[in-house]
Amino acid sequence: MLKEFREFAVKGNVVDLAVGVIIGAAFGAIVTSLVGDVIMPLIGAITGGLDFSNYFTPLSKAVTATNLADAKKQGAVLAWGSFLTLTINFVIIAFVLFLVIRGINTLKRKEEAAPSSPPKPSAEVELLTEIRDLLRKP
């Protein structure tokens, strides 16, 4: 059983999947930083200093805090600003993946559309062809 597992684990598809998961996690961290550190501050500047990460709706009368971290300590809150940030993260990731897949598909179509010329025969084959043609002549 151990041998079968080892064969399964080192097959190309499993290794490719592992690499994809690791790259995907790193890509997710980059997109999270892009949204949290670049896009959301720009949106906040455009909208007059809004910080979506601290937007919440208290679900309890005991919640009196003005920032999300303290409000969560006081009671239940609906952190819709965090949800909005994660939704923007998702849309950006989906759009970037769309562009990548679109580019790959375009390259594949160009490769398929490119006419491939037959390989040139070697000098030996050309010589044999000439000899054959000369022998056919009466």
Side-chain angles (χ1 to χ4, degrees):
M1 188 165 95
L2 185 60
K3 181 181 176 184
E4 286 181 49
F5 177 74
R6 184 172 43 108
E7 288 175 6
F8 169 77
V10 295
K11 281 186 179 177
N13 293 339
V14 175
V15 174
D16 292 345
L17 178 63
V19 169
V21 168
I22 292 168
I23 289 175
F27 185 71
I30 290 170
V31 171
T32 300
S33 176
L34 175 69
V35 170
D37 300 333
V38 176
I39 294 175
M40 293 309 274
L42 289 175
I43 291 174
I46 291 170
T47 58
L50 296 176
D51 180 14
F52 289 104
S53 62
N54 274 322
Y55 276 29
F56 65 93
T57 301
L59 299 176
S60 168
K61 292 181 181 184
V63 178
T64 58
T66 58
N67 65 28
L68 181 60
D70 293 337
K72 283 184 175 182
K73 292 176 185 174
Q74 292 178 345
V77 294
L78 183 64
W80 60 270
S82 296
F83 177 75
L84 180 63
T85 302
L86 292 174
T87 302
I88 292 172
N89 277 351
F90 172 77
V91 169
I92 291 171
I93 290 172
F95 182 70
V96 169
L97 287 176
F98 166 75
L99 292 177
V100 168
I101 292 172
R102 184 174 178 216
I104 290 171
N105 288 340
T106 302
L107 290 175
K108 283 183 181 178
R109 278 189 229 117
K110 285 182 181 178
E111 287 177 5
E112 291 172 359
S116 60
S117 60
K120 184 179 177 185
S122 66
E124 185 178 68
V125 171
E126 286 181 9
L127 180 61
L128 290 171
T129 303
E130 286 178 28
I131 293 171
R132 182 197 66 201
D133 292 344
L134 288 172
L135 290 174
R136 282 189 182 165
K137 289 184 180 179

